[in-house]
Each structure stands twice: as C-alpha cells, then as structure tokens.
Amino acid sequence: MKSLEKKLGYTFQNQALLAEALNHSSYANEHRGSGMCSNERLEFLGDSVLGFVTAEFLFCTNPDLPEGDLTRIRAALVCEQSLYEVAQSIDLGAHLKLGRGEESGGGRTRASILADAMEAVFAAVYLDGGISAASQLIHRVLLKREQEEVEKRRDYKTALQELVQRKPDQALLYRMAGEEGPDHDKTFSAEVLLNEQVVGCGSGHSKKEAEQAAAKAALNALEE
C-alpha cells in the first residue's frame, strides 16, 4: 500500500482504514467468517466528505454564481465518471481486493467500483487525519482541475472593464506588442493600457489569449 500512499500524497497512521477502503463487498462476503468489513460504510461517509469539501470550494471560488449553478457544477464534479477518472489517475484498481467473480468480470476497471472505492479512500483519510487532510487530498486529485477550468472560463477583459468603470473618464486600450514562432505555433504578446499607461502584459497562442493574459495581469496589479 506504500505505492498507493505515495500517489495519494498521504501516509496513514492507521493502515487498517486504508485496507478497509480497498475491500469490495464481494471480497468481504467471501471472507465473512473473518469479520472483515467491506468499504461500503466508508463510501457512505466519503460521499458526504466529498460533497462538503466540493461545496465549500465552489462557494469560495465562484462568489457570483447562484445556487442552481453551484449545484450543477458540484454534481458534475462528484459524479461517477469524475471519481472514476481520479481513481484511474492513481491506479486505484490495482490495489482493490475483489471477490473471485468480480475479479474475473473485470471489476478492477469498472467505473462504479472504482468511483465507490475513491469515496471510501476520501473517508479513510478523513477518519485518519481529519477534514484538513481529506480536503487537501480532494483538492489535489479532483478540485485542482476544476480551478484550472475556472481560470480558463473567466473573462478577464470584462472583469477589467468593470473594474475601471467604477471611476469616470477611464480609457482602456489593448495593443499587440509582438509575435514570434512559426505560423503553426505562434506566440503573441499583448499590452493593456489604462489612460495611456501600460498596466498589464501577457502572451498566448492567439491574439485573444494574449489580451486575456494581459487583462489578468492588469487586474492583479490594480487589485493590489
């Protein structure tokens, strides 16, 4: 399990919690006499831990989104497919304990089994290290990707325009500062000027990307 802990970026004090998180019900049923527990109870708890951490993340990073949009995004983040992709990224299937029937039926790659096990792992980390440890793990393996998507979706030019319009007689202007590279892989540079003074510079693989990067730099500078 050391290799799995390395991929999780977390070392368990109570190894039994991680072991339980990896026990599929089919395996526990085959070893019923030993008193072994499946990961189903941990899965139940992990679902709530994941839901809370994700809701807090979305609430803090999307201050302008209404409840309906937050609910929709959270549902997409914690869905079976999303958890399945996270489980695949850490090769969780290789560490599962399955019954003979599930093993022969391809259970190690089944989306539902991997997604449930991922929630169980989140719960195991929560029980072992508290909500801070669980939150760090969930952010690292799942929510970091959403933050990157949030950054991509944000319209920095509009945000900058709204910021400067709070004062009268403010003039924004974007201008291209250069380009380099072959035609199939050009990099453009842009500047944004506020009242004829450069307040931000940025680059991108299109003029639009360069202007957005310049606007982001300007926003950061002006908000400071």
Side-chain angles (χ1 to χ4, degrees), residues 34-109:
S34 65
M36 180 179 295
C37 295
S38 76
N39 63 6
E40 290 179 342
R41 282 172 52 83
L42 285 176
E43 175 202 338
F44 165 79
L45 177 60
D47 178 70
S48 294
V49 172
L50 174 62
F52 168 73
V53 171
T54 303
E56 181 186 43
F57 165 77
L58 292 175
F59 181 85
C60 293
T61 57
N62 298 275
D64 300 324
L65 285 184
E67 178 192 2
D69 289 343
L70 294 173
T71 299
R72 176 181 52 78
I73 297 173
R74 180 179 62 181
L77 283 173
V78 304
C79 72
E80 179 180 289
Q81 180 61 31
S82 180
L83 292 171
Y84 170 61
E85 291 172 2
V86 171
Q88 282 187 311
S89 73
I90 61 172
D91 197 23
L92 185 60
H95 301 274
L96 296 180
K97 294 180 180 178
L98 304 174
R100 289 185 294 272
E102 286 292 351
E103 184 74 66
S104 62
R108 292 189 186 279
T109 59

Side-chain angles (χ1 to χ4, degrees), residues 12 21 45 52-53 66 109 119 155 158 162 168 171 183 196-197:
F12 281 82
L45 177 60
F52 168 73
V53 171
T109 59
E119 288 183 329
D155 185 349
T158 298
E162 292 173 348
D183 289 341
E196 300 183 352
Q197 297 294 318

Side-chain angles (χ1 to χ4, degrees), residues 100-141:
R100 289 185 294 272
E102 286 292 351
E103 184 74 66
S104 62
R108 292 189 186 279
T109 59
R110 186 168 298 145
S112 59
I113 290 177
L114 288 172
D116 291 347
M118 197 69 245
E119 288 183 329
V121 169
F122 290 151
V125 172
Y126 166 72
L127 291 174
D128 191 71
I131 191 62
S132 177
S135 180
Q136 289 175 21
L137 172 60
I138 292 168
H139 275 76
R140 186 164 55 250
V141 300

Side-chain angles (χ1 to χ4, degrees), residues 1-18 124-130 133 136-137 140:
M1 290 191 289
K2 294 297 182 184
S3 62
L4 179 56
E5 287 181 317
K6 185 175 181 179
K7 291 174 181 176
L8 292 171
Y10 181 81
T11 300
F12 281 82
Q13 298 182 52
N14 183 356
Q15 292 286 321
L17 285 169
L18 178 57
V125 172
Y126 166 72
L127 291 174
D128 191 71
Q136 289 175 21
L137 172 60
R140 186 164 55 250

